[in-house]
Amino acid sequence: MSENQPRRPLRRVLVANRGEIAVRVMRTCKDRGIETVAVYSDADRLAPHVLMADRAYHIGPPPARESYLDGDKILAVCARAEVDGLHPGYGFLSENDHFSEACAEAGVTFIGPPAAAMRLMGSKTRARESMIAAGVPVVPGDNGPGGNGFPDVDAALAAARAIGFPVLIKASAGGGGKGMRLVTEPGDFAAAFDGARREAAGAFGDDTVYVEKAIIRPRHVEIQVFADTHGNVVHLGERDCSLQRRHQKVVEETPSPAVDAALRARMGASAVAAARACDYVGAGTVEFLLAADGSYYFLEMNTRLQVEHPITEAIYDVDLVGWQLDVAAGAPLPMTQDELDARRRGAAIECRVYAEDPLRFLPSTGTITHLRVPTGPNVRDDSGVYEGSEISMYYDPMISKLVTWGSDRAQALGRMRRALSEYVVRGIQTNLPFHRRVLTHQGFCAGDYDTGFIGREHDAIWGDDAEAAPAEPDQAGPTASGDLAVGLIAAAIDRVERTPQALPELAPEAGVSAWRLGLRAGPWGRGR
């Protein structure tokens, strides 16, 4: 977009998501006087994002493929609600280039990057080629003949021998660790190759794999980038996301204990180059593996807003969702790189609170019977649940993101420990006991950790009472039968008083949100 082209004001935005990210986006929209439209499945009929929205539309049964992943249904709601823009959040359709194009064809502003950038960065092999051409460091590897992956194990093994073991076999269309195998010996390669291809085909419908050098005990450090349609690209520093289980992030912090100002500037410059290489627009994240010697390598680019964006917001005192809305409307970035660098302050940490067994990291379903959320100075909890919420098997088990800020890392960690001690959830299991323990682990407190930390330090984290951990007091419901009966009766009475008999679909012509009509639940009920 050139400087003299008119901006596209956003007056009504549909949030094509659920849970905490839908609530998060709607809050910024409401701050700006932008009307909000929610979509919901049967399982989310009384979810917070539905009750917060100015308008809400039912889009199907609980399975995501029949609701939140059904682009046709969502576009039909866009037409019915006459929205100007659509914010996809993260997950679901947020990185679907076909959906982005369909939004444009329907005259709806997709609040995200261009479809071409999604396609380029969505292919690991093409992304690697693009990064090499842009001068961005990449892990030594081989994308296969013509850069199109390896069609057979013999060619892949030859490439692995040339690279040098240990190697990783990775799915070109992969993510979240699916279709990925670590191979330390040539004799194990064939079985790992076949397994990676099968898993990639099942997860992504694409069995293309490539081979790259395995970096031993790396840190996972990502750079937040932002670009507008006027040619401006900036970065907002790094986030250390090395604390992971099964390749999924659990704790993130900024700044990284392993990154100094000089390394931050180099990695930031590489991330900006990556964004320019794909003509990026909007919020994106360039992920790197950081080796112990300070060398770093491009891993992938996430073409959306990241789950952990609040810690970046905390140290720069900005609203990244607000930036997304402005850039989508055609505005230039509000700050230069120098202004951002001067604005940076303090440290922030995020703990992802999951409904899961804290030892085995297996999902826990059920009803939240009691919820007490921490508050206080520089404590933020982005949540998509309330007391009485049902945690189902259909969606990601993350129930909130707990964020603390401090003038330095020690203060941010101290606040997080205090906040975790105040956080109480009953009726389901959560990983709160894990967070409390890992944040007192000597290695983590010293900033000495990498992507293998949780698996390697499991026994040290839990000590002698690991088997008892899931039964910590805040995880269990009432144990005495009398207490249980009283609790259930009280909960039933409270639910009747606070919950409407039915939540009608809010028609566009109604113009009044469930929030204002009193169709509320949980902490937002009448009289609360």
Side-chain angles (χ1 to χ4, degrees), residues 33 68 143 290 316 318 366 374 385 452 484 519:
Y68 297 106
N143 292 343
L290 177 62
Y316 286 97
V318 297
V385 301
L484 178 58
L519 301 178

Side-chain angles (χ1 to χ4, degrees), residues 15-73:
V15 182
N17 217 297
R18 63 177 301 280
E20 60 82 20
I21 188 57
V23 172
R24 162 74 188 92
V25 172
M26 287 180 186
R27 282 181 171 146
T28 289
C29 288
K30 287 178 175 292
D31 286 349
R32 292 163 168 248
I34 298 173
E35 290 185 32
T36 55
V37 177
V39 290
Y40 63 93
S41 71
D42 291 339
D44 284 337
R45 192 167 183 81
L46 292 175
H49 77 282
V50 177
L51 304 178
M52 174 181 281
D54 296 294
R55 303 158 187 240
Y57 296 83
H58 176 253
I59 55 170
R65 67 181 179 277
E66 300 177 47
S67 51
Y68 297 106
L69 284 172
D70 192 325
D72 290 336
K73 287 181 179 179

Side-chain angles (χ1 to χ4, degrees), residues 124 127-129 131-132 136-143 163-164 166-170 210-216 218-219 287-291 295-300:
K124 298 295 194 303
R128 278 176 56 89
E129 293 171 355
M131 294 303 99
I132 291 170
V136 178
V138 299
V139 178
D142 194 324
N143 292 343
I163 294 167
V167 298
L168 284 171
I169 303 171
K170 302 180 74 173
Y210 64 100
V211 180
E212 70 178 26
K213 180 71 175 177
I215 308 300
I216 304 303
R219 296 182 85 111
E287 303 198 347
F288 295 99
L289 291 180
L290 177 62
S295 57
Y296 61 91
Y297 306 95
F298 173 81
L299 182 62
E300 64 179 341

Side-chain angles (χ1 to χ4, degrees), residues 43 45-47 51 366-370 385-391 426 486-502 518-523 525-526 528:
R45 192 167 183 81
L46 292 175
L51 304 178
T367 302
I368 297 177
T369 58
H370 180 73
V385 301
Y386 51 80
E387 191 171 294
S389 286
E390 295 284 340
I391 305 301
R426 290 184 178 143
V486 171
L488 289 173
I489 292 170
I493 293 172
D494 185 58
R495 177 67 66 86
V496 169
E497 290 178 346
R498 292 188 286 119
T499 305
Q501 293 301 307
L519 301 178
R520 311 170 187 175
R526 288 189 181 90
R528 299 217 173 186

Side-chain angles (χ1 to χ4, degrees), residues 44-110:
D44 284 337
R45 192 167 183 81
L46 292 175
H49 77 282
V50 177
L51 304 178
M52 174 181 281
D54 296 294
R55 303 158 187 240
Y57 296 83
H58 176 253
I59 55 170
R65 67 181 179 277
E66 300 177 47
S67 51
Y68 297 106
L69 284 172
D70 192 325
D72 290 336
K73 287 181 179 179
I74 293 172
L75 287 171
V77 172
C78 287
R80 183 177 173 187
E82 299 180 331
V83 304
D84 306 298
L86 179 145
H87 195 300
Y90 52 73
F92 293 137
L93 295 169
S94 63
E95 295 181 276
N96 187 307
D97 58 299
H98 300 295
F99 182 67
S100 172
E101 289 177 328
C103 286
E105 291 170 2
V108 175
T109 298
F110 183 83

